[in-house]
Amino acid sequence: MKIEKEAEEILQSFSDALKDIPDLEETHYMVDNVNLSREDYAEDKDSSKIIRNAHVDDEGNLIAEKGKWVK
């Protein structure tokens, strides 16, 4: 079949191209920092910063815009 013949030609040309690649030794990297992670800690939340930037009415209620995706 034509497809099989083309496939064999492709494999042969690939095999010929691989012959030009020199053999190299394997490289291993010894690194001490495997699976390192940072220390996990919680920061104190200061709600006054949030309120300072938010729109608040006269009674102290937070005013938020209704989502545009809500009907």
Side-chain angles (χ1 to χ4, degrees), residues 47-61:
S47 60
S48 64
K49 290 181 182 178
I50 298 170
I51 299 298
R52 211 176 328 155
N53 292 324
H55 298 288
V56 181
D57 66 5
D58 295 335
E59 297 175 9
N61 298 321

Side-chain angles (χ1 to χ4, degrees), residues 33-68:
N33 57 356
V34 177
N35 294 331
L36 288 182
S37 60
R38 64 176 172 78
E39 289 291 322
D40 194 19
Y41 60 92
E43 296 180 7
D44 292 334
K45 306 283 189 275
D46 187 8
S47 60
S48 64
K49 290 181 182 178
I50 298 170
I51 299 298
R52 211 176 328 155
N53 292 324
H55 298 288
V56 181
D57 66 5
D58 295 335
E59 297 175 9
N61 298 321
L62 195 64
I63 301 172
E65 181 180 330
K66 182 179 179 182
K68 292 179 174 43

